[in-house]
Amino acid sequence: MTAPTIAASGAFRGYAHTFTAMLARDMRVMRRELFSFLARTVLQPVLFIFVFAVVLPKIGFGGGQSFDAGARAETFSTILVPGLVASGMVMQGVFAVTTPLVMELSYTREIDDRVLSPVPVWVVAAEKIVSGAIQSLLAAAAVFLAVLFVHGPGEAPDIGFGRWPLLIAVLVLSALLTAALGLFIGTVLPPHQLSTMFAIFIVPLMMLGCVYYPWAALAPLRWLQITVLANPLVYVSEGLRGALSPAVPHMPEVVVLAVLAGATLVVGALALRTFIRRLVG
Amino acid sequence: MTDVAVDTDELRKTYVTSSGVTEAVAGLTLRVGRGELFGLLGPNGAGKTTTLGMLTTRIAPTAGTATVAGADVVGDPIAVKRAIGVVPQYNNLDRQLSALENLEFSGRYAGLAARAARKRAMELLELFNMEARAGAKINEMSGGQAQRVMIARALMRRPAILFLDEPTSGLDPQTRVNLWDVLRRMRADGQTIVLSTHYMEEAESLCDRIAIIDRGTVLACDALAALKEATLLETVLTLTYEEDADADKIVTQVRGLSGVTSAEASGPGLRVFTRAPEGVLAAVVRVSHDAGLALADVRVVRPSLETVFLNLTGREYRE
């Protein structure tokens, strides 16, 4: 009595079909919430760049002045654009997965219907990562377009797309890594600690993620420069700097790509494990 | 598929926590035939939900085996998932989607194409008289409506076996009776249904066969009539005395009364099993009176699942 469409499809095609259906569901929900998604993604970085790159220089505080990048000076907005795109990606990538997952695993149990689909449980987890990665990429595009045009007179960021293969590689790996991180956090975090997680994990990640300065500029604070290497956002920021504003000092591309790829694999595998453990008791 | 829908052998689930070892399911063996409406009846905490969790691949058994629609729940969970529909105890519908979308996507997750899923979703909503609520968000629905949407969602997959965990708990009496009609109709159409319940009347009025479960094992498993037959169609008289009464002193005398099968003291009272309740009740009341025991309450429970449970466990059934 099983419908022939279900029985006939081969295992892989069956998994792909279910995966696509789950992705379609997430995209439909995201489309409905597009306005609030864009607002919460864009507002913070736009305000940040406005205050630091427009307001502070204008009223005479030195905070957002140009950065001496060796031979020539780069505007502060050139430093900030890749950094803010990176922080937007990481923030939205993590939250796009973590927030709904924490609720689905506890109060609403909405995840159950998907786990009962005729696919291995890891397919459900993989879909969560891909869906989170898409939202992370969308956040990157939104933040980029928003902050590109906010700057003081004559302080336009010096951004180029000449290194687009690197840009794509950094974007895709970063999006996957942040969504995998979101999946891991979502499966281990009890729901009542969502706001605590934001305060003690996300905030330091953002503040010390080389968003507002290149990693090389930390040289006078050697201990900090070494400590922040544990922060995944550092590699996203530095990778985007290398791709969008290569004139600013940045980490070697090979290092950035290797760390992003390695971390994606490790965090992804860990997240799949904790996810399956949470769902099959 | 064979004629056996569900087959378990010594199924066991042990939880080890910091507070100790809990045997949620302690060697459960049962068999459900194809086309049956089968009930797992037991008090709260008996192990029903854990059993259904294992049969629906969501809980890994500690020991024992279970096959559902011919597939092993551990060895081939995907084949099991392909054959089942599950209605959980709590509302786990997708809050971001409407009723229609919930069905539609559930069907697509299970392999239906988008158009076919939408068509079947509409059909099922009509079948459950929910077409007017197709666009409604889950949070705008009553408990009974959400329950019907969950059953419809489970049917999207055309399951060989439908599992329902406590489907009517928390529903008002009218909604419960409506739901029973729905289940009876599906049963008449040949749908295999396994449901758990802690309501005796639900099991009595609905199920072809009932497994009485307590403390993780099956105490008895049969058709209702056979279960009653097995306990000799006994009526249970429960007499409760005023606080400080000593019921022990008349137990032996009561056992000797004609028509009494057995009797036992239970708290400040007496429990008497009999097949001739009318005469025996009068006699027991007289004996109590002669012994100076003041009656506070008398309860007569005719042969039913409740007396079966009492017989099997020696305890009152608490829902």
Side-chain angles (χ1 to χ4, degrees), chain A residues 1-3 5-7 15 17-18 20-22 24-25 28-29 32-33 107-121 278-281, chain B residues 13 56-60 78 81-82 84 86 91-97 101-102 104-106 108-113 118 137 153 157-160 191:
Chain A
M1 72 186 272
T2 312
T5 43
I6 299 175
Y15 299 175
H17 182 103
T18 300
T20 313
M22 288 174 186
R25 179 262 173 214
R28 185 177 295 188
V29 171
R32 268 180 207 156
E33 293 174 351
Y107 302 122
T108 69
R109 298 296 314 178
E110 281 169 23
I111 194 103
D112 287 351
D113 189 48
R114 271 165 270 172
V115 174
L116 282 168
S117 309
V119 293
V121 178
R278 271 297 289 273
L279 285 159
V280 183
Chain B
K13 181 65 188 181
T56 55
T57 77
R58 296 301 312 281
I59 296 174
I78 293 167
K81 289 197 271 190
R82 211 171 273 138
I84 62 173
V86 181
N91 179 349
N92 72 348
L93 292 165
D94 194 328
R95 268 83 168 164
Q96 309 279 336
L97 302 178
E101 287 173 323
N102 260 280
E104 201 183 317
F105 276 108
S106 190
R108 288 174 66 180
Y109 300 158
L112 291 179
R118 194 175 185 83
K137 281 274 186 317
R153 180 183 65 181
R157 305 167 175 217
R158 299 184 193 275
Q191 175 73 54

Side-chain angles (χ1 to χ4, degrees), chain A residues 12-138:
Chain A
F12 180 76
R13 267 183 51 204
Y15 299 175
H17 182 103
T18 300
F19 182 95
T20 313
M22 288 174 186
L23 202 57
R25 179 262 173 214
D26 285 353
M27 293 303 113
R28 185 177 295 188
V29 171
M30 195 186 73
R31 250 198 337 267
R32 268 180 207 156
E33 293 174 351
L34 197 59
F35 181 76
S36 79
F37 174 84
L38 291 177
R40 69 171 188 262
T41 306
V42 160
L43 206 57
Q44 197 263 349
V46 165
L47 286 175
F48 186 91
I49 204 162
F50 175 67
V51 169
F52 282 84
V54 179
V55 176
L56 287 185
K58 191 83 179 164
I59 62 177
F61 286 94
Q65 301 285 303
S66 57
F67 171 78
D68 185 7
R72 58 185 199 139
E74 292 294 341
T75 64
F76 189 45
S77 53
T78 307
I79 310 291
L80 276 181
V81 167
L84 290 173
V85 170
S87 90
M89 279 188 85
V90 172
M91 185 93 127
Q92 294 310 322
V94 169
F95 273 94
V97 182
T98 301
T99 320
L101 186 61
V102 164
M103 296 298 155
E104 283 171 12
L105 285 172
S106 55
Y107 302 122
T108 69
R109 298 296 314 178
E110 281 169 23
I111 194 103
D112 287 351
D113 189 48
R114 271 165 270 172
V115 174
L116 282 168
S117 309
V119 293
V121 178
W122 63 259
V123 173
V124 181
E127 187 278 331
K128 290 249 167 218
I129 292 180
V130 171
S131 159
I134 290 173
Q135 297 186 57
S136 174
L137 289 172
L138 196 70

Side-chain angles (χ1 to χ4, degrees), chain B residues 283-316:
Chain B
V284 176
V285 169
R286 201 160 41 243
V287 169
S288 304
H289 179 76
D290 292 348
L293 297 174
L295 272 170
D297 186 43
V298 175
R299 198 163 163 248
V300 180
V301 184
R302 301 281 169 185
S304 67
L305 274 177
E306 198 172 346
T307 59
V308 173
F309 190 84
L310 262 170
N311 248 299
L312 291 167
T313 65
R315 286 180 291 120
E316 300 269 350

Side-chain angles (χ1 to χ4, degrees), chain B:
Chain B
M1 204 172 109
T2 61
D3 283 343
V4 180
V6 176
D7 196 0
T8 78
D9 185 27
E10 284 294 315
L11 197 59
R12 202 172 281 274
K13 181 65 188 181
T14 313
Y15 289 104
V16 183
T17 59
S18 50
S19 53
V21 177
T22 313
E23 282 225 278
V25 175
L28 185 133
T29 301
L30 55 82
R31 185 172 281 202
V32 179
R34 197 173 163 184
E36 268 192 304
L37 204 173
F38 188 90
L40 298 171
L41 172 73
N44 285 322
K48 305 184 297 290
T49 298
T50 309
T51 302
L52 289 186
M54 289 191 279
L55 295 179
T56 55
T57 77
R58 296 301 312 281
I59 296 174
T62 311
T65 59
T67 57
V68 173
D72 188 277
V73 294
V74 177
D76 195 355
I78 293 167
V80 172
K81 289 197 271 190
R82 211 171 273 138
I84 62 173
V86 181
V87 180
Q89 198 169 349
Y90 302 104
N91 179 349
N92 72 348
L93 292 165
D94 194 328
R95 268 83 168 164
Q96 309 279 336
L97 302 178
S98 69
L100 179 67
E101 287 173 323
N102 260 280
L103 303 195
E104 201 183 317
F105 276 108
S106 190
R108 288 174 66 180
Y109 300 158
L112 291 179
R115 185 174 294 182
R118 194 175 185 83
K119 184 161 168 282
R120 178 148 178 81
M122 288 302 293
E123 286 167 5
L124 283 169
L125 285 178
E126 266 168 47
L127 184 69
F128 286 92
N129 290 321
M130 288 289 292
E131 64 267 42
R133 305 288 284 155
K137 281 274 186 317
I138 303 311
N139 291 335
E140 299 161 357
M141 290 183 188
S142 70
Q145 289 175 334
Q147 193 70 344
R148 275 184 283 166
V149 174
M150 284 202 286
I151 295 176
R153 180 183 65 181
L155 294 178
M156 281 299 292
R157 305 167 175 217
R158 299 184 193 275
I161 304 160
L162 182 65
F163 289 95
L164 302 102
D165 192 8
E166 307 260 356
T168 65
S169 79
L171 296 185
D172 63 82
Q174 184 57 50
T175 312
R176 176 184 299 179
V177 172
N178 290 345
L179 191 63
W180 288 356
D181 287 338
V182 168
L183 294 175
R184 284 195 194 101
R185 266 205 320 267
M186 293 197 295
R187 157 80 181 79
D189 288 341
Q191 175 73 54
T192 307
I193 300 172
V194 177
L195 64 85
S196 75
T197 180
H198 60 263
Y199 297 118
M200 294 218 166
E201 44 162 338
E202 183 158 287
E204 281 201 60
S205 76
L206 210 54
C207 299
D208 300 321
R209 284 198 312 136
I210 298 160
I212 299 179
I213 295 187
D214 191 37
R215 296 178 178 163
T217 55
V218 177
L219 299 177
C221 178
D222 215 327
L224 180 63
L227 284 173
K228 287 182 186 168
E229 197 65 48
T231 52
L232 306 168
L233 299 170
E234 279 170 342
T235 295
V236 181
L237 310 175
T238 307
L239 295 90
T240 310
Y241 301 107
E242 298 295 347
E243 284 285 323
D244 47 359
D246 177 17
D248 275 332
K249 64 184 180 187
I250 59 166
V251 172
T252 318
Q253 196 185 348
V254 169
R255 280 189 189 128
L257 293 171
S258 125
V260 171
T261 315
S262 67
E264 63 202 27
S266 134
L270 206 59
R271 195 178 289 141
V272 182
F273 295 85
T274 174
R275 301 184 75 173
E278 279 70 25
V280 167
L281 179 60
V284 176
V285 169
R286 201 160 41 243
V287 169
S288 304
H289 179 76
D290 292 348
L293 297 174
L295 272 170
D297 186 43
V298 175
R299 198 163 163 248
V300 180
V301 184
R302 301 281 169 185
S304 67
L305 274 177
E306 198 172 346
T307 59
V308 173
F309 190 84
L310 262 170
N311 248 299
L312 291 167
T313 65
R315 286 180 291 120
E316 300 269 350
Y317 187 87
R318 305 222 184 283
E319 289 191 335

